[in-house]
Amino acid sequence: MNKKKAMNFLALSAMAVFLPTVAVQAEVATVEGASFSQVTDVDGIEGSCFYLYVPSHMESPFPMITPVIYVYGDQPYESEEAAWDALTAAGLDVIAEEEQGAIIMVNPVGDEWGEEDIDVYEAIMSYISYVDGTVPLTYHSLQYAIGEGSGATFINNYLTENCQRLAAVMTFGGEIGTPYPLYALPAYIVSGSQEAVDYYINANDGTVVLPTSGRVDQVAEKIKGEWVTEDTEEKTTYTLSSNDVKKVIVSKAESETLDADLIADCWSSLFRYTTRACLTSNFWQMSSDQNPDEFTLLKRPNYEEAGMEVVRVDGIGNGIWEDDEKNYWYEFVPAAVQEAMESGSDETFPLLMCFHGGGDHPIYEAESVGWAQLCIDNDIIMVSPNGGGAEQFNALMDYMIDKYPVDTSRIYAAGFSGGARSTLALSNAYPERLAAVAPQSCVAGPFYTDLMANIGNYDYDLDLPICVVGQGLETESTNHNGEYVWYDAIQIICDIDEIPQYEGELDYTQNPYWGFEVAGEVRHSVQYGFAIWQGFKYDENGIPMLGLMHTEATTHTHYPGYAPLIWNWMKQFTRDTETLEVVYTPAE
């Protein structure tokens, strides 16, 4: 397979998105700002051809939430106009504009689809990742494929065996000739055979062998889910009970050609809520050393179904940021909060400050660690800013308190990587405003040295409940000593929270994640397959002021298994708004 080297990740975030000049603009009527272009002989593959629709607007600073839909037709598109007619007739231009995504209409290399078209698929992924120094269109976590007729057969028999990046597929008709699926892959099937339905159900079968820590007292475990069936007049939906992202939808409509209404339903019932991410190695675009293992299927939250309002607010003009138009934030407002505001109720709700990592997008951060779904499930108000420092974050808290019914005794902060540094910065500067914090996978930062230096200036006993999170493969790339990345920081945290220090040499044989003994150590199985270890350090009053988490076999990457476990620890803490002291109420 042909692949281009990925661009350095840090360099990507500083550039603007634009299309390479090798594309030829088609004579079609797109909306203002959008483009439709033909690309031939991609990556030197003679005879290859595809047509690329880029919407009028895409999210920045980095295209982590840009969906891409590949379309495989029954017959080759003879011209740009023919491809455009097929795209618009299928309603894909509407989806692209509404969802800020890209559409790729692919032609076969020869007269019909075959194995060589997998090379083209790989080459297209490289093309939209990085071409001639341009910024990519996609993060490859929201990739989908739609096929009709012989194009559906190509998806069934070829693409499904090379689908590490595909989150879901949709087929109209087509044949199935590959009885042994290699990868889990959600599907929406129209006019497919029973063999095709069985194929995708088998592909998404629920037997999962969870990885272990390598400790002699741990054994691999298997989880076998059951299929739950929902039947309506329009379709039958099969959902795996142990992991509901694994889903097969069988339409009762009869069509072997692209149908706009069915495609819209597929988007709203499957594609929109399904993503795929690599959790075991650090790469963001295609590269020659692509991990051959299955990328993990993950579920995105359904805001519409939950009634959660997601509001984008520009920072300029709100008295928080003065002159940088890139500074904005997203407000996540659960249905219960909206109802309380509309009814005039005096009920208040927790507030979570959610900080994204370097080059990440605020929504990506909120979804990929599981915070957005957690806020839906627990009626938590959340704000996820794009950039800023401690002063801006403090002002943003005031803004949210003025706008929404926030319980000021229950304000929390969490963030991943660079977002962990933002969490550290805020809680270093304004610890008395926060009930608990969770910096995740922070490889460098202030680590509370400023807070410890100034702790004598507080006229009350300052405590700050802190949950730190590391990952199994993270130390290989972030700490050349092979020690737990938070080792030095934990010493300071123990001093702040009056936790007895541990003594002696670090022992990673007996304590493989932290090097020292922790209390209440437990291994949590997570539906996505990577278990999380959790432990605590208690202060002299028996309060778990320091939470510790570590994931098996993952690297420096987002993981939605974290949020529920962090919250179960966080919610035990509030901060008295008069005395400013931490109040601990053990969870039942």
Side-chain angles (χ1 to χ4, degrees), residues 209-441:
V209 179
L210 298 179
T212 68
S213 63
R215 292 163 50 145
V216 296
D217 59 333
Q218 296 298 320
V219 296
E221 57 184 306
K222 295 183 178 181
I223 294 179
K224 175 70 175 180
E226 300 294 333
W227 286 99
V228 177
T229 303
E230 180 184 357
D231 197 43
T232 68
E233 293 183 0
E234 294 78 23
K235 58 192 176 184
T236 301
T237 301
Y238 303 92
T239 305
L240 197 64
S241 61
S242 60
N243 187 352
D244 60 358
V245 73
K246 294 183 176 181
K247 184 174 296 188
V248 177
I249 301 175
V250 182
S251 174
K252 296 180 180 179
E254 295 183 2
S255 176
E256 296 193 8
T257 59
L258 303 182
D259 181 286
D261 291 336
L262 293 175
I263 290 174
D265 184 65
C266 174
W267 177 265
S268 64
S269 60
L270 182 64
F271 285 5
R272 170 60 183 81
Y273 309 110
T274 311
T275 183
R276 193 186 285 272
C278 182
L279 302 177
T280 57
S281 62
N282 267 335
F283 59 92
W284 288 267
Q285 279 73 52
M286 296 301 300
S287 63
S288 60
D289 58 349
Q290 180 178 356
N291 190 324
D293 295 335
E294 176 187 357
F295 284 43
T296 302
L297 284 166
L298 304 174
K299 187 177 181 180
R300 298 182 69 193
N302 189 331
Y303 300 115
E304 182 177 359
E305 182 179 75
M308 172 174 271
E309 186 177 22
V310 182
V311 182
R312 186 185 189 278
V313 180
D314 292 325
I316 303 301
N318 285 296
I320 299 176
W321 284 275
E322 297 301 327
D323 56 4
D324 191 346
E325 63 181 13
K326 292 183 179 180
N327 284 310
Y328 55 88
W329 62 82
Y330 284 88
E331 300 166 7
F332 297 76
V333 189
V337 177
Q338 299 171 49
E339 293 168 4
M341 295 175 69
E342 292 170 0
S343 67
S345 167
D346 59 0
E347 184 179 5
T348 57
F349 302 85
L351 170 65
L352 174 67
M353 306 288 292
C354 178
F355 300 109
H356 70 75
D360 293 357
H361 189 278
I363 289 181
Y364 180 81
E365 178 70 32
E367 292 188 2
S368 62
V369 183
W371 291 118
Q373 188 62 52
L374 179 101
C375 290
I376 289 172
D377 295 338
N378 294 275
D379 298 332
I380 302 169
I381 303 167
M382 179 169 61
V383 60
S384 186
N386 180 52
E391 296 300 322
Q392 286 82 20
F393 301 149
N394 187 51
L396 184 55
M397 280 193 289
D398 289 333
Y399 172 91
M400 294 296 291
I401 291 169
D402 289 341
K403 186 173 182 180
Y404 298 107
V406 173
D407 180 347
T408 53
S409 72
R410 294 189 292 167
I411 300 178
Y412 308 89
F416 173 83
S417 191
R421 293 194 292 273
S422 296
T423 303
L424 291 168
L426 175 61
S427 51
N428 255 305
Y430 300 98
E432 71 280 358
R433 302 200 68 179
L434 300 166
V437 299
Q440 303 167 247
S441 298

